[in-house]
Amino acid sequence: MDPFETSSTVDPEVRAYVYSLVSALGGRSTLDASYAIGDDALAVLKDLTRWIRLYDEKTDRHDVKRCLAEANLVKGDLLEILAQWPEGSESKYKSKLALGVLELLVPLTWPLDGLGEEREKSGEFYRHVPFLKLAQVGYKRAVLHCDATSILRTVVRIGLPAMATARRERSKRDEGTIRLVLYLFRNLAMIVQPQHLPSQGDENDVIRSATVDAFHAQDILTLLLTIGSGAGDEFQDYGPVMLEILFHLLKGVDAKKLFMKQEQVASTDTQYLKETLSKERAMLDSYKKFAPTRHNRFGTMVWVKRDDTKYSTVTGQPSITNESQTLHQMDKTKKWNKPKYRGKLSQEFNEQSDFGLSVELAESARKHLRSFVEDFLDSSFNPLFSFDGLSQAREERIERG
């Protein structure tokens, strides 16, 4: 099925209702092409969040997310609303709108991997997930490279009042706001271009280097250092999500190259290429010893006289290369190789299977990430990796199964 094709499996009533909500959220003005927020935009945002929670999550489907992706909600509406909340603005209504946008962005960018077997059997995986994965790549590209405003910095402004409040004085709403901010950063760090699906734009806009550069330019790395350094005091409850963010920022990065200068990285890459070519040359030389010749189409049959004056027949040209090869060919003809049962094939394209793959960073991203790692080791490593933080992360992983 074409992932770009409009889905015909969504209930028409659900699609019509969701589209009507998106239309009521706002739109472009016909006079100056500026974005105009609808009168009931705040209620619409809450309704859309409820639809995702009560329809998609309760019925174990992705119909509402599919409709929102087809309606271009994130780039066409949500980011435009955030762009109309400038720095220094004291409008409480626009701050509430920004929080409503954040509550909607988090489930839309939530990881889609890890679906259960029952959902895969029902066709849910093949029905909506490929389209939604491509949509999430578009969400990440729009958030990182928005021309109107710095979206990530705006998201940080949403959580700053809650972060500035003392831990004992924070309400549950404040705690939830901080978690939403961190979960959005975690989701953006996890989103990658699916290898088995067509790209809808420049893949360099969503690679690790682009993510690190955007996090640095919009002070997200500084925020992570602040929360990490306060993990033992003011931010005790956010260790697990912080560990996830760090994992997806540093996964696959060569620690040795990270602390090298640019000239040393180039020299290391050159040496690695030479070693690889040398291994290939040695492999080809060993292959030439037993390589086919122009007479390899001719049949070969050899009689081998054994110690008991009996003869054994060996066929094939590999049997005449040397004595050990002849004996090996004899043993091979006597032995019956039972077919190996490989079991059910696992999912061919699993985005989490690239755990050990190396990730190359651009020079600017490598410099920013190196500076972040150095500051993190100085100020945040001990508080974040304390016993309490690690035990909490372990307990959450056990609860999630």
Side-chain angles (χ1 to χ4, degrees):
M1 189 180 79
D2 187 0
F4 300 105
E5 183 181 356
T6 301
S7 176
S8 59
T9 59
V10 179
D11 189 342
E13 294 184 4
V14 174
R15 184 187 299 277
Y17 197 90
V18 172
Y19 278 13
S20 66
L21 288 176
V22 174
S23 300
L25 188 58
R28 291 286 178 181
S29 173
T30 58
L31 298 178
D32 54 0
S34 61
Y35 186 84
I37 301 177
D39 296 335
D40 299 325
L42 185 58
V44 170
L45 290 173
K46 293 181 179 179
D47 285 346
L48 290 174
T49 305
R50 291 193 193 99
W51 265 94
I52 293 177
R53 185 184 303 115
L54 299 178
Y55 188 86
D56 278 7
E57 297 179 3
K58 293 293 183 180
T59 61
D60 207 15
R61 301 172 65 88
H62 294 306
D63 292 354
V64 176
K65 292 180 182 178
R66 174 81 185 235
C67 294
L68 295 178
E70 293 174 354
N72 195 26
L73 175 72
V74 173
K75 187 176 181 180
D77 295 282
L78 300 186
L79 300 188
E80 295 290 345
I81 293 175
L82 290 179
Q84 295 196 17
W85 188 41
E87 295 187 17
S89 174
E90 299 181 357
S91 173
K92 293 184 178 180
Y93 178 70
K94 289 191 176 181
S95 65
K96 291 181 180 179
L97 281 177
L99 179 59
V101 169
L102 177 61
E103 292 175 347
L104 198 53
L105 279 176
V106 171
L108 290 177
T109 57
W110 198 266
L112 297 170
D113 293 325
L115 296 176
E117 292 184 0
E118 294 299 327
R119 194 184 304 182
E120 291 188 17
K121 290 179 182 178
S122 66
E124 179 68 17
F125 182 86
Y126 302 101
R127 182 178 302 155
H128 292 314
V129 169
F131 181 88
L132 291 179
K133 283 189 175 183
L134 291 176
Q136 287 187 343
V137 174
Y139 298 160
K140 181 175 181 177
R141 181 181 292 108
V143 170
L144 296 184
H145 306 284
C146 181
D147 297 330
T149 186
S150 300
I151 298 298
L152 298 179
R153 186 176 283 117
T154 304
V155 172
V156 173
R157 287 170 50 211
I158 298 174
L160 277 181
M163 296 177 188
T165 306
R167 180 172 176 267
R168 295 182 179 180
E169 299 177 2
R170 288 183 196 141
S171 62
K172 291 185 178 180
R173 183 178 181 82
D174 293 336
E175 298 285 351
T177 301
I178 299 175
R179 288 185 182 277
L180 285 175
V181 172
L182 294 178
Y183 278 134
L184 180 62
F185 298 154
R186 189 278 310 267
N187 296 347
L188 293 176
M190 289 184 66
I191 295 174
V192 295
Q193 170 65 39
Q195 299 178 2
H196 61 293
L197 294 176
S199 176
Q200 293 179 284
D202 189 358
E203 294 185 15
N204 292 328
D205 293 339
V206 294
I207 59 176
R208 186 78 59 83
S209 295
T211 304
V212 173
D213 286 338
F215 277 24
H216 171 77
Q218 302 187 40
D219 300 326
I220 306 304
L221 298 181
T222 305
L223 175 69
L224 298 179
L225 290 174
T226 302
I227 296 178
S229 61
D233 185 18
E234 291 294 326
F235 302 103
Q236 295 182 3
D237 303 326
Y238 312 107
V241 63
M242 277 291 298
L243 292 178
E244 287 187 89
I245 296 174
L246 293 173
F247 172 76
H248 291 289
L249 283 179
L250 300 173
K251 180 179 66 173
V253 177
D254 191 341
K256 294 182 179 179
K257 285 186 179 181
L258 187 63
F259 290 91
M260 289 181 182
K261 295 181 180 179
Q262 186 174 4
E263 296 79 8
Q264 294 175 322
V265 174
S267 176
T268 302
D269 293 340
T270 303
Q271 184 63 28
Y272 175 75
L273 178 61
K274 290 181 179 179
E275 293 176 356
T276 305
L277 292 176
S278 177
K279 291 179 181 179
E280 182 185 20
R281 193 178 302 110
M283 181 184 67
L284 293 176
D285 291 342
S286 62
Y287 173 74
K288 288 179 181 178
K289 295 179 182 179
F290 308 103
T293 64
R294 65 190 183 95
H295 301 291
N296 66 339
R297 292 174 295 175
F298 300 158
T300 302
M301 181 175 292
V302 179
W303 286 269
V304 180
K305 184 177 181 181
R306 295 182 297 181
D307 296 338
D308 53 359
T309 67
K310 293 183 179 181
Y311 290 87
S312 297
T313 304
V314 183
T315 60
Q317 284 199 357
S319 62
I320 63 175
T321 54
N322 53 51
E323 182 179 355
S324 61
Q325 191 69 21
T326 303
L327 296 176
H328 175 71
Q329 188 70 11
M330 289 177 57
D331 295 337
K332 186 177 180 182
T333 56
K334 296 177 182 178
K335 184 179 180 182
W336 178 64
N337 296 320
K338 183 179 179 180
K340 295 181 179 180
Y341 176 69
R342 301 183 182 275
K344 183 180 178 181
L345 292 178
S346 59
Q347 182 63 30
E348 183 178 0
F349 301 105
N350 183 8
E351 300 304 329
Q352 302 302 326
S353 63
D354 59 349
F355 178 79
L357 296 181
S358 177
V359 175
E360 297 295 333
L361 297 176
E363 179 61 24
S364 59
R366 195 170 58 83
K367 185 185 300 182
H368 298 151
L369 193 59
R370 180 176 65 241
S371 176
F372 168 74
V373 170
E374 291 173 349
D375 294 339
F376 177 83
L377 293 176
D378 291 338
S379 62
S380 305
F381 182 85
N382 289 335
L384 184 60
F385 286 86
S386 62
F387 177 78
D388 293 338
L390 290 179
S391 61
Q392 183 183 1
R394 192 181 302 111
E395 290 175 1
E396 288 200 4
R397 176 169 292 183
I398 293 175
E399 290 178 358
R400 289 184 296 183

Coordinates of all heavy atoms in Angstrom, one line a residue, residues 87 150 152-154 156 160 185 211-226 372:
E87 N 8.6 36.2 22.7 CA 9.2 36.3 24.0 C 8.9 37.6 24.6 O 8.8 38.7 24.0 CB 10.7 36.2 23.8 CG 11.2 34.8 23.3 CD 12.7 34.7 23.3 OE1 13.4 35.6 24.0 OE2 13.3 33.8 22.7
S150 N 11.9 30.1 17.0 CA 12.6 29.0 17.5 C 11.6 28.1 18.4 O 11.3 28.5 19.5 CB 13.8 29.5 18.4 OG 14.7 30.2 17.6
L152 N 11.8 25.1 19.7 CA 12.3 24.4 20.9 C 12.4 25.4 22.1 O 12.1 25.1 23.2 CB 13.6 23.7 20.6 CG 13.5 22.6 19.5 CD1 14.9 22.0 19.3 CD2 12.6 21.5 19.9
R153 N 12.9 26.6 21.8 CA 13.0 27.6 22.8 C 11.7 28.0 23.4 O 11.5 28.3 24.5 CB 13.8 28.8 22.3 CG 14.1 29.8 23.4 CD 15.0 31.0 22.9 NE 16.3 30.6 22.7 CZ 17.0 30.6 21.6 NH1 16.4 30.9 20.4 NH2 18.3 30.3 21.5
T154 N 10.7 28.1 22.5 CA 9.3 28.4 22.9 C 8.8 27.3 23.8 O 8.1 27.6 24.8 CB 8.4 28.5 21.7 OG1 8.9 29.6 20.8 CG2 7.0 29.0 22.1
V156 N 10.6 25.4 25.8 CA 11.2 25.6 27.1 C 10.5 26.7 27.9 O 10.4 26.6 29.1 CB 12.7 26.0 26.9 CG1 13.4 26.3 28.2 CG2 13.5 24.8 26.2
L160 N 9.2 26.8 31.8 CA 10.1 27.5 32.8 C 9.4 27.9 34.1 O 10.0 27.8 35.2 CB 10.6 28.8 32.1 CG 11.9 28.6 31.2 CD1 12.3 29.9 30.6 CD2 13.0 28.0 32.1
F185 N 11.3 16.5 23.8 CA 12.7 16.4 23.4 C 13.2 15.0 23.2 O 13.9 14.7 22.3 CB 13.6 17.1 24.5 CG 13.3 18.6 24.7 CD1 13.6 19.2 25.9 CD2 12.8 19.3 23.7 CE1 13.3 20.5 26.1 CE2 12.5 20.7 23.8 CZ 12.7 21.3 25.0
T211 N 20.0 17.4 14.7 CA 19.4 17.5 16.0 C 20.3 18.1 17.1 O 19.8 19.0 17.8 CB 19.0 16.0 16.4 OG1 18.2 15.4 15.4 CG2 18.3 16.0 17.8
V212 N 21.5 17.7 17.1 CA 22.5 18.3 18.1 C 22.7 19.8 17.8 O 22.7 20.6 18.8 CB 23.8 17.5 18.0 CG1 24.9 18.2 18.9 CG2 23.6 16.1 18.4
D213 N 22.8 20.2 16.6 CA 23.0 21.6 16.3 C 21.7 22.4 16.7 O 21.9 23.5 17.2 CB 23.2 21.8 14.8 CG 24.6 21.4 14.4 OD1 25.5 21.3 15.2 OD2 24.8 21.1 13.2
A214 N 20.5 21.9 16.4 CA 19.3 22.6 16.8 C 19.2 22.6 18.4 O 18.8 23.7 18.9 CB 18.1 21.9 16.2
F215 N 19.5 21.6 19.0 CA 19.5 21.6 20.5 C 20.5 22.6 21.1 O 20.2 23.2 22.1 CB 19.8 20.2 21.0 CG 18.6 19.2 21.1 CD1 17.5 19.5 20.2 CD2 18.5 18.1 21.9 CE1 16.4 18.6 20.2 CE2 17.4 17.3 21.9 CZ 16.3 17.5 21.1
H216 N 21.6 22.7 20.4 CA 22.6 23.7 20.9 C 22.1 25.1 20.7 O 22.2 26.0 21.5 CB 23.9 23.4 20.3 CG 25.0 24.5 20.5 ND1 25.6 24.6 21.7 CD2 25.4 25.5 19.8 CE1 26.4 25.6 21.7 NE2 26.3 26.2 20.5
A217 N 21.7 25.4 19.4 CA 21.3 26.7 19.1 C 20.1 27.2 19.9 O 20.0 28.4 20.1 CB 21.0 26.8 17.6
Q218 N 19.2 26.3 20.3 CA 18.0 26.8 21.0 C 18.1 26.4 22.5 O 17.1 26.4 23.2 CB 16.8 26.1 20.4 CG 16.7 26.5 18.9 CD 15.4 26.0 18.3 OE1 14.3 26.0 18.9 NE2 15.4 25.5 17.1
D219 N 19.3 26.2 23.0 CA 19.6 26.1 24.4 C 19.0 24.9 25.1 O 18.8 24.9 26.3 CB 19.2 27.4 25.2 CG 19.9 28.6 24.7 OD1 21.1 28.5 24.3 OD2 19.3 29.7 24.7
I220 N 18.7 23.8 24.3 CA 18.2 22.6 24.9 C 19.2 21.9 25.7 O 19.0 21.3 26.8 CB 17.5 21.7 23.9 CG1 16.5 22.6 23.0 CG2 16.9 20.5 24.5 CD1 15.4 23.2 23.9
L221 N 20.4 21.9 25.2 CA 21.5 21.2 25.9 C 21.8 21.8 27.2 O 22.1 21.2 28.2 CB 22.8 21.2 25.0 CG 22.7 20.5 23.7 CD1 24.0 20.5 22.9 CD2 22.3 19.0 23.9
T222 N 21.7 23.2 27.3 CA 21.9 23.9 28.6 C 20.8 23.5 29.6 O 21.0 23.3 30.8 CB 21.8 25.4 28.3 OG1 22.8 25.7 27.4 CG2 22.1 26.1 29.6
L223 N 19.5 23.3 29.0 CA 18.4 22.9 29.9 C 18.7 21.5 30.4 O 18.4 21.2 31.6 CB 17.1 23.0 29.1 CG 15.9 22.4 29.9 CD1 15.5 23.3 31.0 CD2 14.7 22.3 28.9
L224 N 19.2 20.6 29.6 CA 19.4 19.2 30.1 C 20.5 19.2 31.1 O 20.4 18.5 32.1 CB 19.9 18.4 28.9 CG 18.8 18.2 27.8 CD1 19.4 17.3 26.6 CD2 17.5 17.6 28.3
L225 N 21.5 20.1 31.0 CA 22.5 20.2 32.0 C 22.0 20.7 33.3 O 22.3 20.2 34.4 CB 23.7 21.1 31.6 CG 24.6 20.6 30.4 CD1 25.5 21.7 30.0 CD2 25.3 19.4 30.9
T226 N 21.0 21.6 33.3 CA 20.4 22.2 34.5 C 19.6 21.1 35.2 O 19.7 21.0 36.4 CB 19.5 23.4 34.1 OG1 20.3 24.4 33.4 CG2 18.9 24.0 35.3
F372 N 29.1 19.6 25.5 CA 28.0 19.2 26.3 C 28.4 18.0 27.2 O 28.1 18.0 28.4 CB 26.8 18.8 25.5 CG 25.7 18.1 26.2 CD1 24.9 18.7 27.1 CD2 25.5 16.7 26.1 CE1 23.9 18.1 27.8 CE2 24.5 16.0 26.8 CZ 23.7 16.7 27.6

